């Protein structure tokens, strides 16, 4: 929104207008809408637990969520996915990826779609969804370690992956708004210096806690993905290679149209949610999940009734045809 000061209601009206315009142009009759959330009001926890099934597993993870998530249980929603099954000391364990977000954050983002009477099918954590794009890259390694960097106005988002699985993410207070308050020629160098220290601290923590085999490449996406000066400065100053997320390779792998390729690094999280090949942790409120299931059942019931009516009509027509044929045979016999 540039330098303008938007009142909350004006901002909401503007975003609703943009969403409606996009859905009208590209959504079709019944679009499947995926929403992504990120930032300080989201959290990731990974852990292992004994292999359970069904309601027992859900109950055990609910217990773990209350202990592990940094938000009060009544103020957040969470979901999980089973990343892998492992065996340790003869015991079968599940490796769980638990994602949580505050109800305030989810409610604020879902409100835009509620106003437009649009149904959101799933709400993903942006960092988790982006990881599902990594296997589409030609040089992807299922046991490799990857780092992604997104510089937003209010802060920088760093996320780390093992294969396609999100392991850790870190948010810093150094954002691109620093650049908007400076006009001197050294602003990029000062910003790169500040940002580099944050990145180095984050990488050191990740390498120490999660892996000692982290590679030397960091992919850049988001608002500054096309700021080549900054990427080159970061690349020159530190022992890591910074490069724009390779959308050319990704677009080729996914057969994306040319019109979508230029904006892909900027809207990477949005693209990831739309292209996601598997079920991730879904933060959609339970009430909306139930409503969608009811709507699906109703649609299937209506479709079933239409199909039954069509079959009944065909049967009646067949019966009438058989009756006319019998009448003609009787007439011939007479």
């Amino acid at each position: 929104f540039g330098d303008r000061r938007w009142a909350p209601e004006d901002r909401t009206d503007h975003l609703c207008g943009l969403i409606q315009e996009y859905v009208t142009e590209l959504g079709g009759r019944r679009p499947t809408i995926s929403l992504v959330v990120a930032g300080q009001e989201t959290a990731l926890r990974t852990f292992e637990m004994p292999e359970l099934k069904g309601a027992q597993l859900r109950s055990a993870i609910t217990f773990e969520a209350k202990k592990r998530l940094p938000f009060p249980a009544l103020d957040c929603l969470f979901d999980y996915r089973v990343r892998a099954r492992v065996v340790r000391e003869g015991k079968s364990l599940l490796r769980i990826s638990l994602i949580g977000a505050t109800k305030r954050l989810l409610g604020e983002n879902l409100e835009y779609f509620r106003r437009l009477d649009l149904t959101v099918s799933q709400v993903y954590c942006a960092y988790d969804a982006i990881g599902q794009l990594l296997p589409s890259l030609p040089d992807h390694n299922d046991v490799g370690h990857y780092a992604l960097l997104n510089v937003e106005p209010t802060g920088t988002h760093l996320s780390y992956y093992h294969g396609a699985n999100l392991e850790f993410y870190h948010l810093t207070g150094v954002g691109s708004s620093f650049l908007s308050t400076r006009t001197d020629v050294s602003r990029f160098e000062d910003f790169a210096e500040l940002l580099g220290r944050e990145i180095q601290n984050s990488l050191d923590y990740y390498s120490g806690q999660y892996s000692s085999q982290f590679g030397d490449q960091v992919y850049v996406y988001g608002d500054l993905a096309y700021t080549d000066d900054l990427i080159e400065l970061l690349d020159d100053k530190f022992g890591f290679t910074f490069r724009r997320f390779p959308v050319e390779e990704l677009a080729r792998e996914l057969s994306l149209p040319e019109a979508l390729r230029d904006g892909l690094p900027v809207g990477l999280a949005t693209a990831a949610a739309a292209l996601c090949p598997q079920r991730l942790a879904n933060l959609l409120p339970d009430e909306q999940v139930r409503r969608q299931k009811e709507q699906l059942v109703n649609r299937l019931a209506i479709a079933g009734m239409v199909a039954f009516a069509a079959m009944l009509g065909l049967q009646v027509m067949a019966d009438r045809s058989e009756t006319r044929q019998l009448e003609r045979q009787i007439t011939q016999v007479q």
Side-chain angles (χ1 to χ4, degrees):
F1 299 112
D3 294 330
R4 290 186 58 183
R5 298 285 182 176
W6 288 77
E9 193 61 31
D10 292 340
R11 182 177 185 275
T12 298
D13 290 343
H14 185 69
L15 287 174
C16 286
L18 292 175
I19 292 170
Q20 185 63 69
E21 180 183 338
Y22 187 82
V23 170
T24 301
E25 182 182 354
L26 300 172
R29 283 188 62 248
R30 189 175 291 138
T32 299
I33 299 176
S34 299
L35 177 65
V36 290
V37 293
Q40 299 284 1
E41 294 186 50
T42 65
L44 163 75
R45 297 293 184 268
T46 56
F47 54 91
E48 293 179 357
M49 61 182 300
E51 184 168 2
L52 302 171
K53 295 182 179 179
Q56 284 186 320
L57 177 60
R58 180 73 189 187
S59 178
I61 291 178
T62 299
F63 178 76
E64 292 292 332
K66 291 177 180 179
K67 293 192 306 179
R68 295 175 182 270
L69 291 178
F71 316 118
L74 295 177
D75 295 338
C76 75
L77 295 174
F78 68 88
D79 196 16
Y80 69 93
R81 67 184 176 96
V82 178
R83 282 175 43 176
R85 286 172 172 79
V86 296
V87 177
R88 298 191 190 283
E89 299 179 355
K91 295 181 180 179
S92 182
L93 303 173
L94 299 178
R95 185 171 297 143
I96 302 295
S97 180
L98 173 71
I99 300 283
T102 65
K103 291 181 179 179
R104 191 211 66 79
L105 176 67
L106 296 170
E108 179 184 277
N109 282 274
L110 288 167
E111 175 63 17
Y112 305 124
F113 300 90
R114 187 195 66 78
R115 287 193 179 204
L116 297 171
D117 197 27
L118 294 171
T119 299
V120 175
S121 299
Q122 50 264 329
V123 181
Y124 295 143
C125 173
Y127 318 113
D128 197 24
I130 287 173
Q132 304 310 305
L133 294 179
L134 296 175
S136 298
L137 301 180
D139 59 352
H140 177 75
N141 186 338
D142 288 338
V143 295
H145 296 268
Y146 300 88
L148 271 75
L149 170 72
N150 175 21
V151 183
E152 294 191 343
T154 57
T156 296
H157 303 232
L158 290 138
S159 50
Y160 304 91
Y161 304 85
H162 183 203
N165 292 309
L166 176 66
E167 287 199 318
F168 168 71
Y169 61 88
H170 175 63
L171 313 177
T172 79
V174 179
S176 58
S177 58
F178 173 90
L179 297 172
S180 66
T181 62
R182 299 274 298 274
T183 58
D184 53 285
V185 294
S186 63
R187 66 188 187 280
F188 271 123
E189 289 194 11
D190 293 343
F191 181 65
E193 193 71 40
L194 285 172
L195 186 57
R197 284 200 292 267
E198 294 284 354
I199 295 171
Q200 188 64 62
N201 292 338
S202 177
L203 286 169
D204 290 344
Y205 175 82
Y206 173 73
S207 298
Q209 293 291 321
Y210 293 87
S211 169
S212 59
Q213 300 177 343
F214 176 75
D216 62 352
Q217 186 160 258
V218 179
Y219 291 119
V220 180
Y221 70 100
D223 292 344
L224 296 185
Y226 285 100
T227 310
D228 295 333
D229 290 346
L230 177 61
I231 294 177
E232 289 173 8
L233 276 172
L234 290 171
D235 202 62
D236 291 340
K237 285 179 175 293
F238 306 100
F240 301 99
T241 300
F242 291 82
R243 61 176 296 205
R244 186 183 305 118
F245 192 90
V247 293
E248 298 80 8
E249 300 168 4
L250 177 63
R252 187 163 51 251
E253 285 288 316
L254 299 176
S255 301
L256 294 179
E258 192 70 33
L260 294 179
R261 298 188 183 191
D262 288 344
L264 194 55
V266 180
L268 194 65
T270 306
L275 298 170
C276 185
Q278 64 168 306
R279 180 195 178 279
L280 299 178
N282 184 6
L283 299 173
L284 192 68
D286 291 342
E287 178 185 349
Q288 294 196 35
V289 172
R290 285 194 296 271
R291 193 183 309 137
Q292 288 184 25
K293 288 181 178 178
E294 290 172 359
Q295 291 172 349
L296 177 60
V297 170
N298 291 339
R299 286 201 299 270
L300 292 175
I302 292 172
M305 291 175 64
V306 170
F308 177 73
M311 292 174 62
L312 187 60
L314 290 173
Q315 185 62 44
V316 169
M317 291 175 63
D319 291 345
R320 287 177 180 173
S321 177
E322 289 180 2
T323 300
R324 287 195 295 270
Q325 186 176 358
L326 285 172
E327 288 175 348
R328 284 197 297 270
Q329 290 175 352
I330 291 172
T331 300
Q332 289 174 356
V333 169
Q334 290 175 339

PDB file of all heavy atoms in Angstrom, residues 163-180:
ATOM      1  N   GLY A 163      14.852 -31.941   3.114  1.00  0.00           N
ATOM      2  CA  GLY A 163      14.059 -32.448   2.001  1.00  0.00           C
ATOM      3  C   GLY A 163      12.979 -31.431   1.682  1.00  0.00           C
ATOM      4  O   GLY A 163      13.262 -30.291   1.339  1.00  0.00           O
ATOM      5  N   ALA A 164      11.713 -31.843   1.842  1.00  0.00           N
ATOM      6  CA  ALA A 164      10.586 -30.925   1.644  1.00  0.00           C
ATOM      7  C   ALA A 164       9.941 -30.541   2.965  1.00  0.00           C
ATOM      8  O   ALA A 164       8.970 -29.784   2.981  1.00  0.00           O
ATOM      9  CB  ALA A 164       9.546 -31.574   0.732  1.00  0.00           C
ATOM     10  N   ASN A 165      10.459 -31.054   4.071  1.00  0.00           N
ATOM     11  CA  ASN A 165       9.826 -30.868   5.370  1.00  0.00           C
ATOM     12  C   ASN A 165      10.372 -29.646   6.100  1.00  0.00           C
ATOM     13  O   ASN A 165      11.590 -29.507   6.284  1.00  0.00           O
ATOM     14  CB  ASN A 165      10.021 -32.113   6.244  1.00  0.00           C
ATOM     15  CG  ASN A 165       9.250 -33.305   5.714  1.00  0.00           C
ATOM     16  OD1 ASN A 165       8.058 -33.205   5.443  1.00  0.00           O
ATOM     17  ND2 ASN A 165       9.927 -34.430   5.546  1.00  0.00           N
ATOM     18  N   LEU A 166       9.485 -28.778   6.529  1.00  0.00           N
ATOM     19  CA  LEU A 166       9.853 -27.618   7.329  1.00  0.00           C
ATOM     20  C   LEU A 166      10.329 -28.086   8.701  1.00  0.00           C
ATOM     21  O   LEU A 166       9.634 -28.840   9.384  1.00  0.00           O
ATOM     22  CB  LEU A 166       8.636 -26.702   7.487  1.00  0.00           C
ATOM     23  CG  LEU A 166       8.803 -25.477   8.385  1.00  0.00           C
ATOM     24  CD1 LEU A 166       9.800 -24.490   7.780  1.00  0.00           C
ATOM     25  CD2 LEU A 166       7.444 -24.801   8.600  1.00  0.00           C
ATOM     26  N   GLU A 167      11.517 -27.638   9.104  1.00  0.00           N
ATOM     27  CA  GLU A 167      12.062 -28.023  10.401  1.00  0.00           C
ATOM     28  C   GLU A 167      12.088 -26.870  11.402  1.00  0.00           C
ATOM     29  O   GLU A 167      11.953 -27.083  12.600  1.00  0.00           O
ATOM     30  CB  GLU A 167      13.478 -28.570  10.233  1.00  0.00           C
ATOM     31  CG  GLU A 167      13.552 -29.950   9.616  1.00  0.00           C
ATOM     32  CD  GLU A 167      14.880 -30.621   9.884  1.00  0.00           C
ATOM     33  OE1 GLU A 167      15.912 -29.940   9.791  1.00  0.00           O
ATOM     34  OE2 GLU A 167      14.871 -31.819  10.191  1.00  0.00           O
ATOM     35  N   PHE A 168      12.268 -25.644  10.883  1.00  0.00           N
ATOM     36  CA  PHE A 168      12.465 -24.517  11.790  1.00  0.00           C
ATOM     37  C   PHE A 168      12.299 -23.232  11.003  1.00  0.00           C
ATOM     38  O   PHE A 168      12.627 -23.170   9.816  1.00  0.00           O
ATOM     39  CB  PHE A 168      13.888 -24.601  12.386  1.00  0.00           C
ATOM     40  CG  PHE A 168      14.341 -23.369  13.126  1.00  0.00           C
ATOM     41  CD1 PHE A 168      13.794 -23.023  14.360  1.00  0.00           C
ATOM     42  CD2 PHE A 168      15.323 -22.550  12.597  1.00  0.00           C
ATOM     43  CE1 PHE A 168      14.218 -21.882  15.034  1.00  0.00           C
ATOM     44  CE2 PHE A 168      15.763 -21.412  13.262  1.00  0.00           C
ATOM     45  CZ  PHE A 168      15.197 -21.083  14.492  1.00  0.00           C
ATOM     46  N   TYR A 169      11.712 -22.208  11.630  1.00  0.00           N
ATOM     47  CA  TYR A 169      11.737 -20.893  10.993  1.00  0.00           C
ATOM     48  C   TYR A 169      11.950 -19.819  12.042  1.00  0.00           C
ATOM     49  O   TYR A 169      11.633 -19.996  13.219  1.00  0.00           O
ATOM     50  CB  TYR A 169      10.484 -20.623  10.150  1.00  0.00           C
ATOM     51  CG  TYR A 169       9.156 -20.636  10.867  1.00  0.00           C
ATOM     52  CD1 TYR A 169       8.635 -19.484  11.459  1.00  0.00           C
ATOM     53  CD2 TYR A 169       8.379 -21.796  10.913  1.00  0.00           C
ATOM     54  CE1 TYR A 169       7.401 -19.482  12.088  1.00  0.00           C
ATOM     55  CE2 TYR A 169       7.149 -21.806  11.536  1.00  0.00           C
ATOM     56  CZ  TYR A 169       6.656 -20.650  12.117  1.00  0.00           C
ATOM     57  OH  TYR A 169       5.430 -20.657  12.741  1.00  0.00           O
ATOM     58  N   HIS A 170      12.516 -18.714  11.586  1.00  0.00           N
ATOM     59  CA  HIS A 170      12.934 -17.643  12.488  1.00  0.00           C
ATOM     60  C   HIS A 170      12.529 -16.306  11.881  1.00  0.00           C
ATOM     61  O   HIS A 170      12.712 -16.076  10.683  1.00  0.00           O
ATOM     62  CB  HIS A 170      14.451 -17.699  12.680  1.00  0.00           C
ATOM     63  CG  HIS A 170      15.003 -16.567  13.485  1.00  0.00           C
ATOM     64  ND1 HIS A 170      14.670 -16.346  14.801  1.00  0.00           N
ATOM     65  CD2 HIS A 170      15.867 -15.572  13.151  1.00  0.00           C
ATOM     66  CE1 HIS A 170      15.311 -15.281  15.254  1.00  0.00           C
ATOM     67  NE2 HIS A 170      16.039 -14.789  14.269  1.00  0.00           N
ATOM     68  N   LEU A 171      11.949 -15.428  12.704  1.00  0.00           N
ATOM     69  CA  LEU A 171      11.527 -14.110  12.254  1.00  0.00           C
ATOM     70  C   LEU A 171      12.372 -13.054  12.950  1.00  0.00           C
ATOM     71  O   LEU A 171      12.556 -13.094  14.167  1.00  0.00           O
ATOM     72  CB  LEU A 171      10.046 -13.879  12.580  1.00  0.00           C
ATOM     73  CG  LEU A 171       9.084 -15.026  12.218  1.00  0.00           C
ATOM     74  CD1 LEU A 171       7.676 -14.699  12.666  1.00  0.00           C
ATOM     75  CD2 LEU A 171       9.125 -15.287  10.722  1.00  0.00           C
ATOM     76  N   THR A 172      12.889 -12.112  12.176  1.00  0.00           N
ATOM     77  CA  THR A 172      13.702 -11.044  12.748  1.00  0.00           C
ATOM     78  C   THR A 172      12.987  -9.703  12.594  1.00  0.00           C
ATOM     79  O   THR A 172      12.041  -9.569  11.804  1.00  0.00           O
ATOM     80  CB  THR A 172      15.067 -10.940  12.041  1.00  0.00           C
ATOM     81  OG1 THR A 172      14.896 -10.240  10.802  1.00  0.00           O
ATOM     82  CG2 THR A 172      15.650 -12.321  11.777  1.00  0.00           C
ATOM     83  N   GLY A 173      13.450  -8.692  13.320  1.00  0.00           N
ATOM     84  CA  GLY A 173      12.842  -7.371  13.245  1.00  0.00           C
ATOM     85  C   GLY A 173      13.425  -6.489  12.168  1.00  0.00           C
ATOM     86  O   GLY A 173      13.024  -5.328  12.022  1.00  0.00           O
ATOM     87  N   VAL A 174      14.374  -6.994  11.388  1.00  0.00           N
ATOM     88  CA  VAL A 174      15.011  -6.211  10.322  1.00  0.00           C
ATOM     89  C   VAL A 174      14.195  -6.375   9.044  1.00  0.00           C
ATOM     90  O   VAL A 174      14.179  -7.449   8.445  1.00  0.00           O
ATOM     91  CB  VAL A 174      16.468  -6.665  10.086  1.00  0.00           C
ATOM     92  CG1 VAL A 174      17.088  -5.850   8.960  1.00  0.00           C
ATOM     93  CG2 VAL A 174      17.278  -6.549  11.361  1.00  0.00           C
ATOM     94  N   GLY A 175      13.498  -5.302   8.642  1.00  0.00           N
ATOM     95  CA  GLY A 175      12.655  -5.364   7.456  1.00  0.00           C
ATOM     96  C   GLY A 175      13.030  -4.332   6.421  1.00  0.00           C
ATOM     97  O   GLY A 175      13.876  -3.453   6.653  1.00  0.00           O
ATOM     98  N   SER A 176      12.375  -4.396   5.273  1.00  0.00           N
ATOM     99  CA  SER A 176      12.708  -3.489   4.177  1.00  0.00           C
ATOM    100  C   SER A 176      12.279  -2.052   4.452  1.00  0.00           C
ATOM    101  O   SER A 176      12.671  -1.145   3.703  1.00  0.00           O
ATOM    102  CB  SER A 176      12.064  -3.980   2.878  1.00  0.00           C
ATOM    103  OG  SER A 176      10.655  -4.079   3.032  1.00  0.00           O
ATOM    104  N   SER A 177      11.474  -1.809   5.498  1.00  0.00           N
ATOM    105  CA  SER A 177      11.114  -0.434   5.854  1.00  0.00           C
ATOM    106  C   SER A 177      12.369   0.368   6.206  1.00  0.00           C
ATOM    107  O   SER A 177      12.371   1.597   6.122  1.00  0.00           O
ATOM    108  CB  SER A 177      10.136  -0.428   7.027  1.00  0.00           C
ATOM    109  OG  SER A 177      10.693  -1.092   8.147  1.00  0.00           O
ATOM    110  N   PHE A 178      13.443  -0.332   6.605  1.00  0.00           N
ATOM    111  CA  PHE A 178      14.728   0.324   6.872  1.00  0.00           C
ATOM    112  C   PHE A 178      15.204   1.089   5.639  1.00  0.00           C
ATOM    113  O   PHE A 178      15.777   2.180   5.748  1.00  0.00           O
ATOM    114  CB  PHE A 178      15.761  -0.731   7.277  1.00  0.00           C
ATOM    115  CG  PHE A 178      17.166  -0.209   7.428  1.00  0.00           C
ATOM    116  CD1 PHE A 178      17.618   0.268   8.653  1.00  0.00           C
ATOM    117  CD2 PHE A 178      18.039  -0.197   6.353  1.00  0.00           C
ATOM    118  CE1 PHE A 178      18.907   0.745   8.794  1.00  0.00           C
ATOM    119  CE2 PHE A 178      19.338   0.280   6.487  1.00  0.00           C
ATOM    120  CZ  PHE A 178      19.768   0.755   7.715  1.00  0.00           C
ATOM    121  N   LEU A 179      14.942   0.528   4.460  1.00  0.00           N
ATOM    122  CA  LEU A 179      15.398   1.164   3.224  1.00  0.00           C
ATOM    123  C   LEU A 179      14.574   2.401   2.882  1.00  0.00           C
ATOM    124  O   LEU A 179      15.071   3.331   2.258  1.00  0.00           O
ATOM    125  CB  LEU A 179      15.334   0.163   2.075  1.00  0.00           C
ATOM    126  CG  LEU A 179      16.246  -1.070   2.197  1.00  0.00           C
ATOM    127  CD1 LEU A 179      15.928  -2.058   1.094  1.00  0.00           C
ATOM    128  CD2 LEU A 179      17.706  -0.659   2.151  1.00  0.00           C
ATOM    129  N   SER A 180      13.297   2.407   3.275  1.00  0.00           N
ATOM    130  CA  SER A 180      12.431   3.523   2.902  1.00  0.00           C
ATOM    131  C   SER A 180      12.772   4.803   3.654  1.00  0.00           C
ATOM    132  O   SER A 180      12.373   5.890   3.241  1.00  0.00           O
ATOM    133  CB  SER A 180      10.969   3.150   3.163  1.00  0.00           C
ATOM    134  OG  SER A 180      10.734   2.980   4.553  1.00  0.00           O
TER     135      SER A 180
END
